[in-house]
Amino acid sequence: MSNEKNSKKINFNNSKLTISAGFISQVPKDKTHIVFSGRSNVGKSTLINKLVNQNKLARTSSSPGKTITINFFETDKSFYIVDLPGYGYAKRSDSDIKKWSDLVEGYFKECAKSNIKLIIQLVDLKVGATDDDISMIEYMNGSQIPYIIVATKSDKLNKTQRGESLNKLTSKNPGCVIIPFSSLSGEGVNDIRSYIAGKVK
């Protein structure tokens, strides 16, 4: 993309899981954080695996919302891909919801100003932005953390449905970069990599 002409060349293949942090004290702060956020089952693990050309680096769960840790994947020895635990899963217990909230809120409080350079907010294009998605976007707008929206599962809609859904997402998020992503065709992968590269020094 034109705004990323001088971005760093990154070897995304060189990625490994560094730590699954269940406590803020475990969060690594030695490198830039590129954060992936979205509801449970939106396709975060699938997108991360596609970006780094590894099938099983980020593991997809058969029980969405089960894991409440923040996963840090060191990439090209220069930054972390940060996989936040998914939100909005109906079967979470009250105690799990509180644990998720405390962990994620604590993470943003500790790292928003010092480490987080970009948030990649995933929205299921077929479902549209949920109330939880909207709350997250409002938080990012208020915190002034740079972010883009990745519209996942774009291949699940026909051309007309896709256009309508993208138009709706765009109209409700004016000025925001929105990138459709397909795990089948790889649509959007290079654009997402470009935005990441533009934030990594």
Side-chain angles (χ1 to χ4, degrees):
M1 290 199 171
S2 59
N3 62 334
E4 310 296 348
K5 284 182 179 179
N6 298 318
S7 60
K8 177 183 176 181
K9 183 69 174 178
I10 294 171
N11 179 10
F12 282 89
N13 295 354
N14 183 15
S15 298
K16 63 180 181 180
L17 176 64
T18 301
I19 188 170
S20 293
F23 302 94
I24 299 303
S25 59
Q26 297 175 310
V27 170
K29 299 178 182 178
D30 58 319
K31 298 179 177 68
T32 290
H33 294 184
I34 303 296
V35 180
F36 287 69
S37 168
R39 69 178 182 83
S40 297
N41 206 31
V42 74
K44 283 193 288 91
S45 296
T46 300
L47 174 56
I48 291 170
N49 287 337
K50 200 77 174 179
L51 288 172
V52 301
N53 291 316
Q54 297 185 42
N55 293 329
K56 297 180 180 179
L57 182 66
R59 295 187 178 182
T60 56
S61 175
S62 57
S63 301
K66 183 178 181 180
T67 304
I68 307 178
T69 57
I70 302 175
N71 296 322
F72 292 83
F73 303 97
E74 186 187 62
T75 301
D76 202 21
K77 298 181 180 180
S78 58
F79 70 98
Y80 293 109
I81 287 176
V82 182
D83 182 11
L84 295 182
Y87 53 73
Y89 191 61
K91 293 184 180 180
R92 281 198 195 277
S93 66
D94 289 343
S95 61
D96 279 351
I97 291 172
K98 185 180 187 305
K99 182 178 179 182
W100 182 95
S101 180
D102 289 347
L103 181 62
V104 174
E105 288 180 10
Y107 168 69
F108 279 113
K109 183 178 180 180
E110 287 284 325
C111 299
K113 293 182 179 179
S114 56
N115 294 95
I116 301 172
K117 302 304 179 184
L118 178 68
I119 298 177
I120 298 175
Q121 177 64 34
L122 278 65
V123 173
D124 187 323
L125 190 59
K126 188 174 181 179
V127 174
T130 65
D131 290 343
D132 289 322
D133 293 331
I134 293 169
S135 293
M136 186 64 193
I137 291 169
E138 289 175 347
Y139 166 78
M140 292 185 293
N141 286 330
S143 66
Q144 298 183 329
I145 301 173
Y147 71 94
I148 62 174
I149 293 175
V150 171
T152 64
K153 307 181 184 181
S154 64
D155 46 75
K156 303 294 185 182
L157 297 88
N158 62 38
K159 186 176 181 180
T160 300
Q161 293 170 330
R162 171 190 162 105
E164 291 174 348
S165 295
L166 282 173
N167 286 339
K168 185 175 181 180
L169 198 55
T170 300
S171 66
K172 292 189 174 182
N173 299 278
C176 180
V177 172
I178 298 175
I179 302 175
F181 166 69
S182 166
S183 61
L184 297 178
S185 68
E187 177 190 19
V189 169
N190 288 335
D191 287 342
I192 297 166
R193 286 175 179 159
S194 292
Y195 270 91
I196 292 173
K199 296 296 182 181
V200 177
K201 294 180 181 180

